[in-house]
Amino acid sequence: MSEEGYPTSNWEHTDSETLASSNAHARSNKSHHHHHPQQPYHQSAESLDIPQHTPLSPTKSLSPGRSSAESPTRNGASSKWRDSALPSVAREAPAAEDNNVVETSFDENVLRALCDLDCGVPLLLDRIKQSMVSCREASVFFKKRAVLEEEYGRNLQKLSKSTSETYAMNDGKAGTFVAAWQSSLRTHETVAENRIRFAQRLNEMSEELATLAKEVDKNRKQTKELASRYERALSESETATEKCKNRFDVTAQELERTLLQREGESVRDTALQARSPGGVGGKRVIGKAVAKGGMLLKGKNPGNLERQTEEIKARMSTASDAYRKAVTDTQSIRQEYFNFQLPRILRSLKECADEIDLGTQYHLSRYAFLYENAILSDGGTLAPISDEPGLKATFESIDNRADFKVYMQNYAYAHVGQKGPRREGPPEEGFLPPIMPLSKPQNSSPSVSSTQVPPEKGKTFGIDLAEQMYRDDVDVPQIMQKCCQAIEKYGLLSQGIYRIGGTMSKVNALRARLDKDLDSVNLDAEEWSSDISNVTSVLKMWLRDLPDPLLTHQLHQGFLDAARIENDRLRHIKMHERVNDLPDPNYATLKYFMGHLHKIVQHEAQNAMSIQNLAIVFGPTLFGQNQAGMNGLVNGMSEAPLQNKAIETILEHYTDIFIDEAEEQ
């Protein structure tokens, strides 16, 4: 063993085959050593004293492909790596051997998958860049939307105030109209204020998203710079190791040549000593050997070769130590990078990606909530849930008649002294006597003049529907209300209700009593509640006795034409239009009666009266049995299926035809 700590036999081996084999083995290990890291470099493997568990430095092909020229050069040992701090979003992580590499809230499986990828760092950098683009787009959208909302709110606010001031200066209507008008303008101002507040929230969210994108971009750049610096340090360490290896190989080759030269001189000296040293022949042989030796050694004697060999061995020892140290440092740096620094960098970048993704999603959800809240606020302003009147109710509160009466009184008082044409005068001056008012014809509408004499109270059967409702001052005929309430109370579950008729004697007696004094009849009495069929028969009789059927003669053909339509949706629409064409008394009565039949259908399981059964019962009744077709009775009989179909369609779509309109009112 030499004083440098290397076996002398390793450097003094004279077997040419062993040297050639060692050189070939060294070249093989140099080109393929990253596939077999445990194989040593030719004869220097034993002299390096590298622990067997520490693999040698791989070639540059295994260095991370993510190094950047922007990173500064690493100076110092691997222990200085921990002195570098990650950006603020990165938190200190323990060593890779620790199972808790990240917090429990962090997805450790994703981090491990990223660590296994060679492209983990650029993957996250590109992902963060995409997220920043999305975040900035959302921020720009919120900003532009805020501009639109603020402009809308400001303009609406300005319009409301200017309109109110202009109306106050002009000669517009007064009374209930001006109160409703000013209230509506205040409603518009409230809506404008809501929109301005919404715009302010949008501006805040836009600024927050822009700030978030800026901070994440800053952290991304810092982490990228740190990762590039670590990768550059590892790459430089591997390059330095490769240089040390090359120096070691060159020194080994030089030592090999020196040993070959020294071995060749020793052989020649032995051969010369075996010959006779005297005589001419001996001198000639020695001269030739010296001449040949001079050509071989080129002026180098054995002493010089020995000194040169010792110098090369010393340089060999120094190169071996430098190479061993470079391998150890590079392996330490590599382990430090892949086991500690790379997980920290990936975790920091992943947290940046999660931060901007969650922040963007939060602000989008917040935008949806604020947008919904703004719409609901507008709706609550236009139609308050409380008892306060909404915009529609405010306009409906305008009483044009009362306003006109007040205006007429004020105008007459203000122009009391104004002269105009004389209304009356003596006949000799050409004035005619006043014209007597004409007698008013009977009107079927309940909204007749207050000077009309109401019909005689008492009669119920055979009286025009409008006259009854005007006479009794009701929205629905009293007899229908009275009978339907009793039927719903006592006969809702009776099987065959409306299909089974009552006893004729009792039906006629009940009709007479109702026709004589409707208010005095108590349908809750045992006499009538025990057999509700008598009440249903009286109600059908009242409908049949109407002079003009409930669906009117005028709209008779229109209902039949609508019933002929095969398409269900189109038939529903046309039937709805015909119902809306009914006079007000007929429409109100039909709506009430269809609601009553709708309740009957809801208990079909008990009373066995479906929509089709009720349509068959009331088809001829509501259309009028006396209305024949154009070609007489045969045509009239052929209309029965169409009549039933019309009633069936109205009853099927009772909610669409009647209830929606009632809710709007």
Side-chain angles (χ1 to χ4, degrees):
M1 182 74 68
S2 65
E3 61 183 11
E4 290 85 6
Y6 303 101
T8 307
S9 59
N10 286 342
W11 314 116
E12 297 178 352
H13 198 281
T14 58
D15 191 350
S16 61
E17 292 183 1
T18 304
L19 291 173
S21 174
S22 299
N23 286 332
H25 186 59
R27 288 191 295 270
S28 175
N29 280 340
K30 182 178 180 180
S31 60
H32 301 289
H33 130 268
H34 63 276
H35 295 293
H36 306 283
Q38 298 296 339
Q39 295 181 359
Y41 290 101
H42 50 92
Q43 72 265 25
S44 64
E46 296 179 359
S47 63
L48 290 177
D49 294 334
I50 299 175
Q52 294 296 324
H53 65 275
T54 304
L56 297 179
S57 172
T59 61
K60 294 177 68 174
S61 61
L62 280 186
S63 62
R66 301 182 289 272
S67 61
S68 173
E70 300 175 358
S71 301
T73 304
R74 173 185 175 270
N75 47 8
S78 61
S79 60
K80 296 182 180 180
W81 284 42
R82 291 187 175 88
D83 298 336
S84 301
L86 287 173
S88 58
V89 295
R91 290 183 289 272
E92 194 69 19
E97 290 78 12
D98 190 359
N99 292 330
N100 297 324
V101 178
V102 293
E103 296 178 357
T104 56
S105 60
F106 191 83
D107 193 348
E108 187 177 354
N109 294 328
V110 174
L111 180 61
R112 289 176 178 174
L114 290 171
C115 291
D116 293 338
L117 292 176
D118 292 337
C119 58
V121 173
L123 181 149
L124 289 174
L125 291 175
D126 292 342
R127 179 61 178 178
I128 294 174
K129 189 180 296 184
Q130 289 181 348
S131 299
M132 287 192 300
V133 171
S134 302
C135 181
R136 291 192 177 107
E137 286 297 323
S139 175
V140 171
F141 172 77
F142 291 160
K143 191 70 175 179
K144 293 181 178 179
R145 180 67 193 276
V147 172
L148 294 178
E149 292 292 338
E150 185 173 7
E151 182 180 2
Y152 170 74
R154 299 293 182 190
N155 290 338
L156 183 59
Q157 197 175 47
K158 182 178 179 181
L159 175 63
S160 301
K161 292 181 179 179
S162 63
T163 302
S164 177
E165 295 173 357
T166 303
Y167 192 86
M169 293 185 294
N170 294 335
D171 188 15
K173 290 173 29 174
T176 58
F177 178 84
V178 69
W181 182 248
Q182 295 295 340
S183 177
S184 68
L185 293 179
R186 288 193 295 271
T187 300
H188 283 79
E189 291 181 3
T190 304
V191 172
E193 293 174 357
N194 293 337
R195 292 298 176 146
I196 293 174
R197 284 195 295 269
F198 180 47
Q200 293 174 351
R201 299 295 183 273
L202 290 177
N203 278 323
E204 293 175 0
M205 290 192 298
S206 176
E207 293 175 358
E208 290 175 1
L209 281 179
T211 303
L212 175 63
K214 184 177 179 181
E215 291 295 330
V216 170
D217 188 26
K218 177 182 177 182
N219 294 334
R220 173 184 174 274
K221 291 180 179 179
Q222 292 178 353
T223 308
K224 178 182 178 182
E225 181 181 357
L226 185 62
S228 300
R229 187 163 66 249
Y230 289 156
E231 292 172 358
R232 172 65 68 85
L234 179 58
S235 177
E236 291 177 352
S237 178
E238 290 177 345
T239 302
T241 302
E242 189 69 20
K243 291 180 180 179
C244 291
K245 178 180 177 299
N246 292 335
R247 284 195 297 270
F248 177 81
D249 291 341
V250 170
T251 307
Q253 292 175 3
E254 185 178 356
L255 178 61
E256 181 181 345
R257 288 192 301 269
T258 304
L259 292 175
L260 285 174
Q261 291 176 359
R262 191 180 70 173
E263 186 67 21
E265 179 64 25
S266 176
V267 171
R268 287 174 175 79
D269 291 343
T270 303
L272 290 174
Q273 291 174 2
R275 294 180 180 272
S276 173
V280 177
K283 293 181 180 180
R284 184 170 55 252
V285 172
I286 292 174
K288 291 181 180 180
V290 170
K292 293 180 96 179
M295 293 295 294
L296 177 65
L297 300 176
K298 295 182 180 180
K300 293 184 179 180
N301 54 37
N304 292 335
L305 289 176
E306 186 66 24
R307 288 192 300 272
Q308 186 177 2
T309 301
E310 293 299 327
E311 292 176 0
I312 294 175
K313 285 184 178 181
R315 285 191 286 114
M316 183 72 176
S317 176
T318 303
S320 175
D321 293 341
Y323 180 43
R324 181 172 64 251
K325 183 177 183 302
V327 170
T328 304
D329 291 345
T330 301
Q331 188 63 24
S332 176
I333 292 174
R334 184 181 295 106
Q335 291 180 354
E336 177 79 10
Y337 175 73
F338 286 103
N339 295 339
F340 182 75
Q341 300 299 343
L342 183 61
R344 289 180 63 200
I345 293 171
L346 293 176
R347 184 180 189 275
S348 176
L349 292 175
K350 186 63 172 63
E351 286 182 348
C352 285
D354 292 343
E355 180 182 5
I356 192 169
D357 290 343
L358 294 176
T360 304
Q361 183 181 9
Y362 165 75
H363 283 88
L364 290 175
S365 300
R366 184 184 175 194
Y367 164 73
F369 171 77
L370 292 176
Y371 191 15
E372 179 182 357
N373 190 37
I375 298 298
L376 292 177
S377 298
D378 291 346
T381 303
L382 298 176
I385 301 177
S386 60
D387 296 335
E388 298 180 1
L391 187 63
K392 184 173 181 290
T394 299
F395 287 139
E396 289 178 349
S397 66
I398 298 175
D399 191 347
N400 291 316
R401 290 186 179 181
D403 289 349
F404 183 77
K405 289 181 180 179
V406 173
Y407 174 74
M408 184 174 60
Q409 294 174 358
N410 295 336
Y411 192 90
Y413 179 79
H415 300 79
V416 65
Q418 185 175 354
K419 298 294 184 180
R422 289 190 298 169
R423 187 183 301 272
E424 297 177 356
E428 58 270 15
E429 294 182 6
F431 287 94
L432 297 176
I435 301 175
M436 298 299 295
L438 298 176
S439 60
K440 295 184 180 295
Q442 291 185 350
N443 194 340
S444 61
S445 174
S447 59
V448 295
S449 175
S450 60
T451 59
Q452 180 178 352
V453 179
E456 180 182 359
K457 184 163 181 70
K459 291 286 291 182
T460 302
F461 288 82
I463 304 298
D464 183 78
L465 182 63
E467 292 184 10
Q468 292 186 50
M469 296 173 65
Y470 170 67
R471 178 195 66 193
D472 299 334
D473 192 19
V474 292
D475 294 331
V476 178
Q478 288 183 336
I479 185 172
M480 175 165 283
Q481 290 183 350
K482 198 177 192 71
C483 293
C484 289
Q485 290 173 1
I487 294 169
E488 293 173 5
K489 187 175 182 180
Y490 300 105
L492 206 57
L493 306 180
S494 299
Q495 190 171 6
I497 188 71
Y498 281 116
R499 189 177 68 240
I500 300 176
T503 306
M504 287 306 299
S505 59
K506 291 188 176 182
V507 170
N508 292 332
L510 180 58
R511 169 179 174 168
R513 293 179 60 177
L514 290 172
D515 204 18
K516 182 178 180 180
D517 190 359
L518 178 65
D519 297 334
S520 64
V521 179
N522 182 15
L523 296 181
D524 292 330
E526 182 67 21
E527 180 182 4
W528 311 117
S529 62
S530 59
D531 187 3
I532 203 65
S533 298
N534 296 323
V535 180
T536 60
S537 298
V538 168
L539 181 58
K540 290 188 290 184
M541 187 180 296
W542 175 80
L543 289 170
R544 286 193 297 268
D545 289 349
L546 289 174
D548 191 20
L550 187 60
L551 299 182
T552 71
H553 294 309
Q554 182 180 359
L555 297 175
H556 181 92
Q557 192 60 39
F559 279 105
L560 297 183
D561 293 340
R564 288 189 178 93
I565 300 175
E566 295 295 335
N567 185 275
D568 293 339
R569 179 60 180 166
L570 185 57
R571 183 174 64 254
H572 166 213
I573 294 174
K574 292 297 182 183
M575 199 65 68
H576 195 170
E577 292 176 355
R578 298 292 80 77
V579 170
N580 289 339
D581 292 339
L582 288 170
D584 291 345
N586 299 63
Y587 179 87
T589 304
L590 179 65
K591 176 183 176 181
Y592 182 87
F593 187 59
M594 286 294 126
H596 167 69
L597 296 182
H598 183 70
K599 296 178 182 178
I600 299 293
V601 173
Q602 289 178 338
H603 296 80
E604 177 185 354
Q606 292 80 19
N607 56 40
M609 291 301 292
S610 62
I611 293 178
Q612 292 77 14
N613 293 338
L614 292 174
I616 293 173
V617 172
F618 287 101
T621 302
L622 300 182
F623 275 94
Q625 294 177 333
N626 297 328
Q627 179 71 11
M630 295 178 60
N631 296 328
L633 184 60
V634 177
N635 230 4
M637 294 289 292
S638 65
E639 292 178 354
L642 296 177
Q643 295 174 357
N644 299 343
K645 191 65 176 178
I647 302 302
E648 180 180 339
T649 303
I650 296 174
L651 193 52
E652 281 180 347
H653 301 283
Y654 162 75
T655 302
D656 296 333
I657 295 176
F658 296 106
I659 297 302
D660 290 345
E661 181 178 342
E663 290 178 350
E664 291 177 359
Q665 293 176 353

Tab-separated table of all heavy atoms in Angstrom, residues 42-80:
chain	number	residue	atom	x	y	z
A	42	HIS	N	-12.408	1.219	-14.293
A	42	HIS	CA	-11.244	0.322	-14.498
A	42	HIS	C	-10.437	0.140	-13.222
A	42	HIS	O	-10.972	-0.263	-12.185
A	42	HIS	CB	-10.386	0.770	-15.689
A	42	HIS	CG	-10.004	2.210	-15.698
A	42	HIS	ND1	-8.858	2.664	-15.152
A	42	HIS	CD2	-10.648	3.283	-16.231
A	42	HIS	CE1	-8.769	3.961	-15.337
A	42	HIS	NE2	-9.846	4.353	-15.997
A	43	GLN	N	-9.114	0.458	-13.256
A	43	GLN	CA	-8.312	0.099	-12.104
A	43	GLN	C	-8.478	1.069	-10.945
A	43	GLN	O	-7.983	0.818	-9.860
A	43	GLN	CB	-6.815	0.019	-12.484
A	43	GLN	CG	-6.177	1.381	-12.745
A	43	GLN	CD	-6.195	1.699	-14.203
A	43	GLN	OE1	-7.055	1.183	-14.922
A	43	GLN	NE2	-5.241	2.508	-14.660
A	44	SER	N	-9.176	2.190	-11.131
A	44	SER	CA	-9.293	3.162	-10.047
A	44	SER	C	-10.438	2.873	-9.105
A	44	SER	O	-10.601	3.573	-8.125
A	44	SER	CB	-9.489	4.566	-10.631
A	44	SER	OG	-10.716	4.603	-11.342
A	45	ALA	N	-11.220	1.859	-9.374
A	45	ALA	CA	-12.384	1.593	-8.531
A	45	ALA	C	-11.984	1.221	-7.129
A	45	ALA	O	-12.615	1.641	-6.154
A	45	ALA	CB	-13.230	0.485	-9.150
A	46	GLU	N	-10.943	0.429	-7.006
A	46	GLU	CA	-10.543	0.020	-5.674
A	46	GLU	C	-9.829	1.138	-4.934
A	46	GLU	O	-9.812	1.171	-3.717
A	46	GLU	CB	-9.632	-1.207	-5.764
A	46	GLU	CG	-10.342	-2.421	-6.350
A	46	GLU	CD	-9.411	-3.615	-6.454
A	46	GLU	OE1	-8.225	-3.459	-6.086
A	46	GLU	OE2	-9.870	-4.669	-6.905
A	47	SER	N	-9.192	2.033	-5.712
A	47	SER	CA	-8.422	3.095	-5.064
A	47	SER	C	-9.270	4.266	-4.614
A	47	SER	O	-8.800	5.106	-3.869
A	47	SER	CB	-7.339	3.601	-6.026
A	47	SER	OG	-7.963	4.173	-7.164
A	48	LEU	N	-10.571	4.351	-5.080
A	48	LEU	CA	-11.414	5.490	-4.697
A	48	LEU	C	-11.975	5.350	-3.297
A	48	LEU	O	-12.356	6.339	-2.671
A	48	LEU	CB	-12.568	5.636	-5.699
A	48	LEU	CG	-12.162	6.105	-7.094
A	48	LEU	CD1	-13.376	6.137	-8.002
A	48	LEU	CD2	-11.522	7.471	-7.051
A	49	ASP	N	-12.099	4.123	-2.801
A	49	ASP	CA	-12.663	3.876	-1.466
A	49	ASP	C	-14.041	4.500	-1.308
A	49	ASP	O	-14.370	5.081	-0.279
A	49	ASP	CB	-11.720	4.414	-0.371
A	49	ASP	CG	-10.424	3.646	-0.338
A	49	ASP	OD1	-10.427	2.464	-0.758
A	49	ASP	OD2	-9.430	4.231	0.107
A	50	ILE	N	-14.852	4.419	-2.370
A	50	ILE	CA	-16.225	4.966	-2.322
A	50	ILE	C	-17.145	3.919	-1.721
A	50	ILE	O	-17.075	2.748	-2.100
A	50	ILE	CB	-16.705	5.346	-3.734
A	50	ILE	CG1	-15.781	6.428	-4.305
A	50	ILE	CG2	-18.135	5.822	-3.728
A	50	ILE	CD1	-16.100	6.788	-5.737
A	51	PRO	N	-18.004	4.280	-0.777
A	51	PRO	CA	-18.909	3.277	-0.188
A	51	PRO	C	-19.767	2.628	-1.275
A	51	PRO	O	-20.167	3.258	-2.240
A	51	PRO	CB	-19.766	4.103	0.787
A	51	PRO	CG	-18.948	5.308	1.076
A	51	PRO	CD	-18.156	5.584	-0.157
A	52	GLN	N	-20.029	1.338	-1.037
A	52	GLN	CA	-20.775	0.590	-2.049
A	52	GLN	C	-22.214	1.085	-2.200
A	52	GLN	O	-22.822	0.936	-3.238
A	52	GLN	CB	-20.784	-0.910	-1.661
A	52	GLN	CG	-19.424	-1.558	-1.711
A	52	GLN	CD	-18.871	-1.568	-3.122
A	52	GLN	OE1	-19.617	-1.727	-4.084
A	52	GLN	NE2	-17.562	-1.379	-3.241
A	53	HIS	N	-22.797	1.670	-1.173
A	53	HIS	CA	-24.188	2.132	-1.261
A	53	HIS	C	-24.297	3.479	-1.966
A	53	HIS	O	-25.388	3.955	-2.219
A	53	HIS	CB	-24.796	2.246	0.143
A	53	HIS	CG	-24.139	3.291	0.989
A	53	HIS	ND1	-22.997	3.019	1.713
A	53	HIS	CD2	-24.454	4.594	1.204
A	53	HIS	CE1	-22.624	4.105	2.366
A	53	HIS	NE2	-23.484	5.082	2.073
A	54	THR	N	-23.141	4.117	-2.250
A	54	THR	CA	-23.174	5.426	-2.901
A	54	THR	C	-22.875	5.254	-4.377
A	54	THR	O	-21.737	4.944	-4.737
A	54	THR	CB	-22.141	6.374	-2.283
A	54	THR	OG1	-22.383	6.456	-0.890
A	54	THR	CG2	-22.238	7.758	-2.919
A	55	PRO	N	-23.833	5.410	-5.264
A	55	PRO	CA	-23.575	5.252	-6.686
A	55	PRO	C	-22.735	6.398	-7.201
A	55	PRO	O	-22.749	7.513	-6.668
A	55	PRO	CB	-24.970	5.259	-7.309
A	55	PRO	CG	-25.798	6.026	-6.347
A	55	PRO	CD	-25.220	5.755	-4.999
A	56	LEU	N	-21.985	6.130	-8.278
A	56	LEU	CA	-21.168	7.169	-8.875
A	56	LEU	C	-22.032	8.149	-9.639
A	56	LEU	O	-23.210	7.913	-9.888
A	56	LEU	CB	-20.133	6.533	-9.805
A	56	LEU	CG	-19.123	5.605	-9.106
A	56	LEU	CD1	-18.179	5.027	-10.129
A	56	LEU	CD2	-18.373	6.342	-8.022
A	57	SER	N	-21.399	9.237	-10.024
A	57	SER	CA	-22.145	10.304	-10.698
A	57	SER	C	-22.638	9.830	-12.049
A	57	SER	O	-21.889	9.237	-12.826
A	57	SER	CB	-21.242	11.522	-10.879
A	57	SER	OG	-21.884	12.469	-11.683
A	58	PRO	N	-23.904	10.066	-12.375
A	58	PRO	CA	-24.390	9.715	-13.699
A	58	PRO	C	-23.863	10.702	-14.720
A	58	PRO	O	-23.361	11.769	-14.394
A	58	PRO	CB	-25.918	9.819	-13.560
A	58	PRO	CG	-26.114	10.818	-12.492
A	58	PRO	CD	-24.960	10.654	-11.555
A	59	THR	N	-24.006	10.337	-15.970
A	59	THR	CA	-23.612	11.238	-17.039
A	59	THR	C	-24.569	12.390	-17.135
A	59	THR	O	-25.608	12.418	-16.491
A	59	THR	CB	-23.584	10.481	-18.370
A	59	THR	OG1	-24.881	9.990	-18.625
A	59	THR	CG2	-22.604	9.322	-18.331
A	60	LYS	N	-24.256	13.338	-17.979
A	60	LYS	CA	-25.064	14.552	-18.079
A	60	LYS	C	-26.447	14.281	-18.634
A	60	LYS	O	-27.336	15.099	-18.522
A	60	LYS	CB	-24.342	15.567	-18.955
A	60	LYS	CG	-23.046	16.060	-18.345
A	60	LYS	CD	-22.329	17.001	-19.273
A	60	LYS	CE	-23.097	18.289	-19.429
A	60	LYS	NZ	-22.354	19.272	-20.222
A	61	SER	N	-26.620	13.098	-19.250
A	61	SER	CA	-27.948	12.799	-19.806
A	61	SER	C	-28.998	12.648	-18.740
A	61	SER	O	-30.176	12.760	-19.013
A	61	SER	CB	-27.880	11.512	-20.637
A	61	SER	OG	-27.484	10.435	-19.806
A	62	LEU	N	-28.594	12.386	-17.482
A	62	LEU	CA	-29.575	12.239	-16.410
A	62	LEU	C	-29.756	13.498	-15.600
A	62	LEU	O	-30.510	13.515	-14.651
A	62	LEU	CB	-29.154	11.112	-15.460
A	62	LEU	CG	-29.473	9.686	-15.936
A	62	LEU	CD1	-29.128	8.703	-14.846
A	62	LEU	CD2	-30.910	9.568	-16.360
A	63	SER	N	-29.085	14.551	-15.915
A	63	SER	CA	-29.276	15.792	-15.168
A	63	SER	C	-30.628	16.376	-15.504
A	63	SER	O	-31.155	16.169	-16.596
A	63	SER	CB	-28.175	16.793	-15.516
A	63	SER	OG	-28.245	17.106	-16.881
A	64	PRO	N	-31.254	17.087	-14.582
A	64	PRO	CA	-32.591	17.635	-14.839
A	64	PRO	C	-32.604	18.517	-16.062
A	64	PRO	O	-31.739	19.359	-16.254
A	64	PRO	CB	-32.899	18.433	-13.563
A	64	PRO	CG	-32.006	17.849	-12.527
A	64	PRO	CD	-30.772	17.405	-13.239
A	65	GLY	N	-33.592	18.309	-16.895
A	65	GLY	CA	-33.717	19.076	-18.127
A	65	GLY	C	-34.424	20.381	-17.956
A	65	GLY	O	-35.040	20.871	-18.893
A	66	ARG	N	-34.429	20.927	-16.746
A	66	ARG	CA	-35.198	22.137	-16.475
A	66	ARG	C	-34.299	23.273	-16.035
A	66	ARG	O	-34.746	24.240	-15.433
A	66	ARG	CB	-36.237	21.860	-15.390
A	66	ARG	CG	-37.214	20.765	-15.765
A	66	ARG	CD	-38.236	20.577	-14.674
A	66	ARG	NE	-37.671	19.954	-13.486
A	66	ARG	CZ	-37.599	18.657	-13.291
A	66	ARG	NH1	-38.035	17.840	-14.219
A	66	ARG	NH2	-37.098	18.162	-12.180
A	67	SER	N	-32.976	23.159	-16.231
A	67	SER	CA	-32.064	24.220	-15.801
A	67	SER	C	-32.260	25.454	-16.653
A	67	SER	O	-32.631	25.389	-17.811
A	67	SER	CB	-30.623	23.728	-15.893
A	67	SER	OG	-30.320	23.385	-17.221
A	68	SER	N	-31.990	26.592	-16.063
A	68	SER	CA	-32.185	27.857	-16.756
A	68	SER	C	-30.935	28.699	-16.624
A	68	SER	O	-30.251	28.694	-15.602
A	68	SER	CB	-33.391	28.611	-16.180
A	68	SER	OG	-33.484	29.880	-16.741
A	69	ALA	N	-30.654	29.462	-17.660
A	69	ALA	CA	-29.470	30.324	-17.640
A	69	ALA	C	-29.643	31.499	-16.708
A	69	ALA	O	-28.686	32.178	-16.358
A	69	ALA	CB	-29.165	30.824	-19.047
A	70	GLU	N	-30.900	31.731	-16.304
A	70	GLU	CA	-31.135	32.879	-15.434
A	70	GLU	C	-30.696	32.607	-14.005
A	70	GLU	O	-30.556	33.535	-13.219
A	70	GLU	CB	-32.627	33.232	-15.456
A	70	GLU	CG	-33.130	33.592	-16.839
A	70	GLU	CD	-34.628	33.825	-16.830
A	70	GLU	OE1	-35.216	33.665	-15.760
A	70	GLU	OE2	-35.175	34.166	-17.875
A	71	SER	N	-30.545	31.313	-13.624
A	71	SER	CA	-30.237	30.989	-12.238
A	71	SER	C	-28.800	31.336	-11.928
A	71	SER	O	-27.893	31.119	-12.747
A	71	SER	CB	-30.470	29.506	-11.985
A	71	SER	OG	-31.805	29.184	-12.268
A	72	PRO	N	-28.519	31.845	-10.753
A	72	PRO	CA	-27.135	32.148	-10.370
A	72	PRO	C	-26.344	30.888	-10.091
A	72	PRO	O	-26.900	29.841	-9.822
A	72	PRO	CB	-27.308	32.989	-9.100
A	72	PRO	CG	-28.619	32.551	-8.548
A	72	PRO	CD	-29.467	32.204	-9.723
A	73	THR	N	-25.036	31.004	-10.143
A	73	THR	CA	-24.161	29.859	-9.913
A	73	THR	C	-24.160	29.515	-8.438
A	73	THR	O	-24.073	30.385	-7.577
A	73	THR	CB	-22.736	30.192	-10.373
A	73	THR	OG1	-22.779	30.585	-11.740
A	73	THR	CG2	-21.817	28.993	-10.195
A	74	ARG	N	-24.240	28.201	-8.175
A	74	ARG	CA	-24.267	27.760	-6.785
A	74	ARG	C	-22.854	27.781	-6.234
A	74	ARG	O	-21.922	27.271	-6.847
A	74	ARG	CB	-24.835	26.345	-6.701
A	74	ARG	CG	-24.755	25.734	-5.304
A	74	ARG	CD	-25.233	24.303	-5.346
A	74	ARG	NE	-25.055	23.671	-4.061
A	74	ARG	CZ	-23.974	23.031	-3.686
A	74	ARG	NH1	-22.937	22.989	-4.495
A	74	ARG	NH2	-23.891	22.457	-2.501
A	75	ASN	N	-22.653	28.351	-5.103
A	75	ASN	CA	-21.367	28.316	-4.427
A	75	ASN	C	-21.589	27.846	-3.004
A	75	ASN	O	-22.425	28.362	-2.294
A	75	ASN	CB	-20.687	29.687	-4.436
A	75	ASN	CG	-21.642	30.778	-4.041
A	75	ASN	OD1	-22.734	30.457	-3.630
A	75	ASN	ND2	-21.243	32.028	-4.167
A	76	GLY	N	-20.851	26.852	-2.597
A	76	GLY	CA	-21.019	26.309	-1.268
A	76	GLY	C	-21.468	24.875	-1.334
A	76	GLY	O	-21.867	24.359	-2.371
A	77	ALA	N	-21.416	24.201	-0.205
A	77	ALA	CA	-21.790	22.799	-0.131
A	77	ALA	C	-23.292	22.659	-0.142
A	77	ALA	O	-24.038	23.624	-0.140
A	77	ALA	CB	-21.189	22.181	1.142
A	78	SER	N	-23.739	21.382	-0.128
A	78	SER	CA	-25.178	21.123	-0.184
A	78	SER	C	-25.901	21.617	1.046
A	78	SER	O	-27.104	21.830	1.018
A	78	SER	CB	-25.433	19.617	-0.351
A	78	SER	OG	-24.893	18.923	0.764
A	79	SER	N	-25.181	21.791	2.153
A	79	SER	CA	-25.846	22.282	3.363
A	79	SER	C	-26.361	23.691	3.194
A	79	SER	O	-27.253	24.132	3.911
A	79	SER	CB	-24.876	22.229	4.543
A	79	SER	OG	-23.749	23.044	4.283
A	80	LYS	N	-25.797	24.439	2.242
A	80	LYS	CA	-26.271	25.800	2.021
A	80	LYS	C	-27.602	25.851	1.290
A	80	LYS	O	-28.211	26.901	1.195
A	80	LYS	CB	-25.226	26.584	1.223
A	80	LYS	CG	-23.904	26.765	1.966
A	80	LYS	CD	-22.940	27.588	1.150
A	80	LYS	CE	-21.619	27.776	1.878
A	80	LYS	NZ	-20.673	28.587	1.089
